[in-house]
């Protein structure tokens, strides 16, 4: 290249083959040169994407010499990657695999369609090679996933331009499905043979790509895929993050068939497995077996065939033996992961319309939430303290994912939820009275907000009354619906009013600000979080230098504990404010109008307390509250939004209106956000 063979500017097409050859020469190793730092790949990939070095997009370019030069540079690039991919040194092979995956996304459609079969075979050979290193297998799974996604992109490009290369654009999709089908068995082998979570992560990601983009390739492998995922979920060898990924992959599996029966059967098998396990875990802590019997009656009504066990008969035989040897903690993690599966199934799109087993799902949620590790008097001689200690330690997580499932039911079921409004409101009301932990209370507020915004206080009340009357009086549904709506147009009663009172009562408990001196606001409410353990302020006595180091370490742990506790309380108060805002927005003035001035006063105190160190919109640090500015902004914004909803919901003049307007004026930018959101 001539030293002064200059280009017009950085956008000149002539610059791209030059940059690509420079990357090959300086940053891509060959047989003679060792592989440098893996961080070099980041720069290489950035250059490829920023300057579109592999796109071969000529536009209106007519310079055949330049076109040939760019094509030759890309050829050299691909040849170098294939050379690296065949190298016996793991680091060079890994680099070639990673860059080939990027190349499949960045190269032109012509080059991809001409090369993807060859690239696929080379990558497939790497995951089938048992002696390959773990990070080579992981990279191969990632690059194969990129290759399959690029196949879909190429298919759409060919379809859009009516290009009939490879015998027609339909062949591209057929070839992609055929190639994806070849990956199923190697991926399942990775899941069964390797004991590395990194490989499982890569394999399950590739499996999700196949199910999502090439569902027909699953076909005859459906049961094998279910069995492989089930064996991992029930094995007790996975971290919880890995369990969640397996659960999400399992939730995708019925989409490969796309019919209602596959969705319903998978959900039924999972619910039966969960209830069977909870029957063992909750033994002695439940009210006899009522919840279990009710759940199983709903899942298996008389005359209905029992479905095959989760994961298939072969897996069940092995797992049933191993279950007894594993710790209960492992099994509880499996239950939580399968609850995530249920939530994903409810909130994800599905090709066919399905009937959701709402009653079975609600029975499962209620069953978990009603257990708090307390013992009926009759069961005390049969339960050890160790059993109670274990269950107490595991219940917060089980409750959290049960609440997640309840939220998914409300979000995903929509119109099918109407006959079950009374059950949900009753469950929320009961759990509010039992729940103490800030994280769980915040979640139940969030669920209440979703329910209020989706149905409203009046609708909840009407539907609840209709449901109760239909059950108790055995009157025809149409007569009850008509009578219920007529009698409930101008008044809110029953469960809807109960939900309103629960929100108000608990909001007063959780929103009473705690000041630095330990006192509370003028509203006489005891915050529910006072029952939680507080970090100790006492310091142990130690001797000499070692003692001072230990004392300092304890102090750091104490500060960290206080920060975490403070963050949980802040999140709880934000959730309570949002639920209260939703109640005031959809329900208007509380039916007990005497409580409304107290709400205004409470909200004004919240805004004042959160702004003691300054407003988050001001460009200065907040020292007094010792919380991040972003978190403080969320508190202030939530409080101001709720205060605005409170003022707007009242048809009467509020004695606190002037104080509220002054706070809005001082809030400046935050007030503008409140008004215009």
């Amino acid at each position: 290249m001539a030293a002064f063979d200059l280009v017009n500017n950085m956008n000149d097409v002539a610059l791209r083959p030059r940059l690509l050859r420079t990357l090959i020469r300086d940053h891509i190793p060959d047989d003679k040169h060792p592989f440098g730092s893996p961080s070099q790949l980041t720069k290489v990939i950035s250059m490829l994407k920023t300057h579109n070095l592999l796109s071969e997009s000529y536009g209106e370019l007519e310079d055949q010499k330049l076109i040939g030069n760019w094509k030759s540079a890309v050829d050299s690039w691909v040849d170098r990657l294939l050379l690296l991919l065949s190298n016996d040194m793991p680091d060079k092979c890994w680099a070639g695999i990673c860059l080939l995956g990027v190349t499949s996304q960045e190269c032109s459609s012509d080059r991809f369609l001409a090369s993807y079969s060859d690239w696929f075979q080379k990558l497939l050979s790497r995951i089938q090679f048992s002696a390959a290193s773990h990070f080579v297998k992981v990279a191969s799974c990632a690059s194969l996933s990129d290759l399959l996604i690029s196949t879909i992109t190429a298919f759409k490009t060919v379809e859009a331009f009516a290009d009939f290369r490879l015998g027609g654009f339909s062949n591209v999709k057929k070839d992609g499905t055929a190639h994806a089908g070849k990956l199923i068995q190697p991926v399942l082998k990775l899941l069964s043979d390797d004991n590395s979570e990194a490989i499982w992560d890569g394999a399950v990601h590739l499996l999700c790509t196949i199910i999502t983009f090439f569902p027909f390739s699953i076909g005859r492998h459906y049961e094998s895929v279910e069995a492989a995922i089930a064996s991992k979920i029930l094995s007790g060898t996975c971290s919880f993050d890995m369990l969640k990924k397996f659960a999400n992959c399992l939730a995708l599996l019925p989409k490969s068939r796309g019919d209602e029966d596959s969705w319903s059967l998978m959900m039924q098998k999972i619910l039966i497995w969960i209830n069977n396990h909870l029957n063992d875990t909750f033994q002695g802590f439940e009210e006899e077996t009522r919840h279990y019997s009710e759940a199983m009656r709903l899942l298996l009504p008389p005359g209905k065939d029992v479905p095959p066990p989760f994961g298939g008969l072969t897996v069940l035989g092995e797992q049933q033996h191993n279950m007894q040897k594993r710790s209960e903690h492992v099994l509880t993690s499996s239950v939580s992961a399968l609850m995530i599966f249920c939530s994903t199934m409810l909130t994800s799109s599905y090709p066919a319309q399905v009937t959701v087993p709402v009653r079975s799902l609600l029975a499962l949620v209620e069953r978990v939430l009603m257990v708090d590790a307390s013992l009926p008097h009759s069961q005390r001689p049969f339960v050890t303290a160790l059993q109670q200690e274990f269950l107490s330690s595991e219940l917060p997580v089980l409750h959290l994912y049960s609440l997640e499932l309840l939220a998914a039911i409300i979000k995903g079921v929509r119109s099918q939820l109407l006959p079950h409004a009374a059950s949900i409101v009753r469950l929320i009301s009961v759990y509010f009275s039992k729940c103490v932990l800030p994280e769980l209370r915040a979640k139940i507020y969030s669920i209440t907000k979703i329910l209020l915004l989706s149905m409203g206080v009046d609708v909840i009340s009407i539907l609840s009354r209709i449901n109760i009357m239909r059950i108790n009086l055995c009157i025809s549904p149409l007569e009850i619906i008509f009578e219920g709506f007529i009698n409930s147009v101008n008044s809110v009663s029953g469960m809807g009013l109960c939900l309103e009172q629960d929100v108000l009562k608990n909001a007063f408990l959780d929103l009473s600000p705690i000041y630095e001196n330990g006192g509370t606001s003028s509203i006489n409410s005891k915050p529910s979080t006072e029952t939680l353990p507080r970090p100790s302020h006492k310091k142990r006595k130690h001797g000499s230098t070692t003692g001072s180091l230990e004392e300092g370490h304890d102090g750091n742990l104490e500060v960290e504990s206080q920060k975490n506790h403070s963050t949980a309380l802040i999140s709880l108060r934000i959730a309570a404010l949002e639920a209260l805002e939703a109640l005031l927005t959809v329900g208007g003035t509380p039916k007990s109008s005497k409580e409304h001035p107290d709400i205004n006063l409470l909200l004004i105190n919240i805004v004042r307390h959160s702004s003691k160190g300054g407003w988050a919109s001001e460009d200065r640090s907040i020292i007094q509250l010792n919380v991040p500015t972003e978190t403080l902004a969320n508190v202030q914004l939530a409080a101001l939004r709720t205060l605005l909803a409170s003022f707007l919901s009242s048809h009467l003049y509020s004695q606190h209106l002037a104080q509220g307007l002054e706070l809005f004026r001082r809030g400046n930018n935050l007030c503008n956000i409140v008004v215009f959101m």
Side-chain angles (χ1 to χ4, degrees), residues 384-632:
T384 66
L386 188 61
Q387 288 176 291
Q388 189 177 36
E389 179 183 335
F390 161 75
L391 186 61
S392 298
S393 67
E394 296 295 316
L395 276 177
V397 175
L398 285 176
H399 280 202
L400 177 62
Y401 286 103
S402 296
L403 292 173
E404 293 282 1
L405 179 55
L406 179 58
I409 294 170
I410 297 172
K411 292 177 183 177
V413 174
R414 299 178 183 175
S415 60
Q416 296 181 44
L417 188 68
L418 299 182
H420 310 282
S423 299
I424 295 175
V425 173
R426 178 183 57 80
L427 180 58
I428 290 175
S429 178
V430 173
Y431 191 67
F432 254 133
S433 65
K434 297 166 65 75
C435 182
V436 172
L437 295 177
E439 294 85 355
L440 298 179
R441 288 185 68 81
K443 190 63 185 177
I444 198 68
Y445 276 122
S446 174
I447 292 172
T448 304
K449 173 186 173 182
I450 296 171
L451 187 64
L452 287 169
L453 293 180
S454 61
M455 301 182 69
V457 175
D458 294 338
V459 176
I460 292 171
S461 175
I462 294 170
L463 292 171
S464 302
R465 290 180 62 197
I466 292 173
N467 195 38
I468 294 171
M469 292 172 67
R470 179 176 61 82
I471 294 173
N472 293 338
L473 303 180
C474 299
I475 303 176
S476 68
L478 288 178
E479 294 177 10
I480 291 297
I481 289 174
F482 179 76
E483 181 182 350
F485 272 90
I486 293 298
N487 294 336
S488 303
V489 168
N490 297 317
S491 65
V492 177
S493 60
M495 302 302 286
L497 183 58
C498 178
L499 181 61
E500 175 185 285
Q501 293 302 314
D502 281 327
V503 173
L504 290 173
K505 178 180 67 177
N506 285 280
F508 269 72
L509 293 176
D510 292 319
L511 291 176
S512 297
I514 301 175
Y515 298 106
E516 281 83 353
N517 60 8
T520 61
S521 67
S522 57
I523 301 173
N524 293 323
S525 299
K526 182 181 179 181
S528 62
T529 51
E530 284 186 3
T531 60
L532 297 174
R534 303 279 184 178
S536 174
H537 293 274
K538 297 181 180 180
K539 294 184 178 179
R540 293 173 300 191
K541 296 182 180 181
H542 303 280
S544 69
T545 308
T546 305
S548 63
L549 290 174
E550 292 178 358
E551 183 175 335
H553 181 68
D554 290 342
N556 290 335
L557 290 177
E558 179 181 328
V559 170
E560 189 66 27
S561 175
Q562 288 177 334
K563 287 182 178 179
N564 293 336
H565 186 66
S566 176
T567 301
L569 292 180
I570 290 174
S571 299
L572 170 60
R573 288 173 185 161
I574 292 174
L577 286 166
E578 291 176 347
L580 184 56
E581 180 194 0
L583 174 67
L584 294 169
T585 300
V586 303
T589 305
K591 302 308 174 276
S592 300
S593 57
K594 64 180 182 179
E595 295 179 358
H596 200 252
D598 287 339
I599 294 176
N600 291 334
L601 179 59
L602 171 68
L603 294 172
I604 287 173
N605 285 335
I606 289 285
V607 176
R608 285 175 174 170
H609 179 62
S610 65
S611 61
K612 286 176 64 177
W615 292 92
S617 56
E618 299 175 0
D619 187 16
R620 62 192 181 90
S621 60
I622 309 301
I623 299 175
Q624 289 182 338
L625 296 181
N626 194 27
V627 294
T629 302
E630 182 179 358
T631 303
L632 184 65

Side-chain angles (χ1 to χ4, degrees), residues 207-430:
L207 195 56
C208 288
T209 301
I210 295 171
I211 296 172
T212 302
F213 295 105
F214 299 97
F216 295 113
S217 65
I218 299 296
R220 59 189 177 87
H221 303 289
Y222 186 94
E223 286 77 14
S224 299
V225 173
E226 179 187 335
I229 297 175
S231 67
K232 288 302 173 188
I233 292 177
L234 306 181
S235 67
T237 58
C238 305
S239 67
F240 190 66
D241 286 340
M242 195 69 241
L243 284 175
K244 290 192 289 186
K245 293 176 182 179
F246 279 122
N248 288 326
C249 183
L250 184 67
L252 286 175
L253 189 57
K255 289 187 178 182
S256 65
R257 291 181 171 174
D259 60 323
E260 180 182 2
D261 291 341
S262 298
W263 191 98
S264 300
L265 181 61
M266 183 69 79
M267 181 67 81
Q268 185 185 28
K269 288 194 288 187
I270 297 298
L271 291 177
I272 289 174
W273 189 93
I274 293 176
N275 277 291
N276 283 335
H277 169 62
L278 292 180
N279 198 42
D280 296 331
T281 304
F282 291 166
Q283 187 173 8
F285 295 92
E286 285 185 299
E287 184 181 333
E288 298 179 348
T289 59
R290 181 178 65 85
H291 289 293
Y292 173 73
S293 301
E294 175 68 11
M296 297 306 294
R297 184 186 65 81
L298 293 171
L299 288 168
L300 295 173
K304 189 171 183 179
D305 295 335
V306 178
F310 172 47
L313 292 173
T314 303
V315 172
L316 183 68
E318 298 175 0
Q319 298 301 330
Q320 195 69 33
H321 175 70
N322 294 332
M323 273 183 181
Q324 300 174 359
K325 299 180 180 180
R326 296 198 305 269
S327 69
E328 287 293 322
H329 174 75
V330 170
L331 292 174
T332 306
S333 298
S334 299
V335 169
S336 299
L338 292 176
M339 285 182 176
I340 293 173
F341 158 86
C342 295
S343 300
T344 306
M345 290 277 281
L346 291 171
T347 54
S348 300
S349 60
Y350 193 73
Q353 186 173 359
V354 299
T355 301
V356 179
V358 181
R359 292 182 64 192
S360 300
L361 289 164
L362 289 176
L364 172 61
V365 172
E366 181 177 7
R367 183 181 185 190
V368 176
L369 294 183
M370 292 303 101
V371 174
D372 60 1
S374 61
L375 283 169
H377 185 74
S378 60
Q379 295 294 326
R380 290 180 181 272
F382 307 104
V383 177
T384 66
L386 188 61
Q387 288 176 291
Q388 189 177 36
E389 179 183 335
F390 161 75
L391 186 61
S392 298
S393 67
E394 296 295 316
L395 276 177
V397 175
L398 285 176
H399 280 202
L400 177 62
Y401 286 103
S402 296
L403 292 173
E404 293 282 1
L405 179 55
L406 179 58
I409 294 170
I410 297 172
K411 292 177 183 177
V413 174
R414 299 178 183 175
S415 60
Q416 296 181 44
L417 188 68
L418 299 182
H420 310 282
S423 299
I424 295 175
V425 173
R426 178 183 57 80
L427 180 58
I428 290 175
S429 178
V430 173

Side-chain angles (χ1 to χ4, degrees), residues 53-235:
L53 300 185
L54 302 176
S55 64
E56 298 182 76
S57 55
Y58 308 113
E60 299 179 356
L61 183 66
E62 298 180 357
D63 188 340
Q64 295 300 318
K65 181 179 179 181
L66 180 55
I67 292 175
N69 187 27
W70 196 358
K71 182 179 182 301
S72 175
V74 178
D75 289 340
S76 299
W77 168 267
V78 173
D79 291 342
R80 178 64 64 84
L81 298 189
L82 296 180
L83 182 66
L84 289 175
L85 197 148
S86 303
N87 199 291
D88 293 333
M89 299 184 66
D91 55 348
K92 290 185 178 182
C93 182
W94 173 79
I97 291 170
C98 292
L99 291 175
L100 187 60
V102 176
T103 301
S104 68
Q105 295 178 319
E106 294 295 314
C107 70
S108 66
S109 296
D110 288 342
R111 183 174 292 274
F112 178 80
L113 292 172
S115 307
Y116 79 97
S117 293
D118 182 47
W119 295 351
F120 175 87
Q121 292 298 332
K122 291 185 179 299
L123 291 172
L124 177 59
S125 66
R126 281 299 165 182
I127 66 172
Q128 292 176 323
F129 183 45
S130 58
S133 64
H134 284 183
F135 64 91
V136 166
K137 290 181 180 179
V138 173
S140 298
C141 289
S143 291
L144 280 166
S145 182
D146 292 339
L147 193 70
L148 292 177
I149 295 173
S150 299
T151 303
I152 290 294
T153 304
F155 163 68
K156 291 180 179 178
T157 302
V158 171
E159 185 181 25
F161 291 98
D163 195 336
F164 290 89
R165 289 183 295 269
L166 296 180
F169 63 79
S170 61
N171 284 347
V172 178
K173 191 171 185 179
K174 290 179 181 178
D175 287 350
T177 300
H179 282 86
K182 297 177 183 178
L183 291 171
I184 305 297
Q185 289 296 346
V187 168
L188 296 183
K189 193 172 187 303
L190 287 178
L191 292 177
S192 61
D193 292 350
D194 287 280
N195 293 318
S196 167
E197 280 209 357
I199 291 182
W200 297 342
D201 194 357
V204 78
H205 175 69
L206 178 56
L207 195 56
C208 288
T209 301
I210 295 171
I211 296 172
T212 302
F213 295 105
F214 299 97
F216 295 113
S217 65
I218 299 296
R220 59 189 177 87
H221 303 289
Y222 186 94
E223 286 77 14
S224 299
V225 173
E226 179 187 335
I229 297 175
S231 67
K232 288 302 173 188
I233 292 177
L234 306 181
S235 67

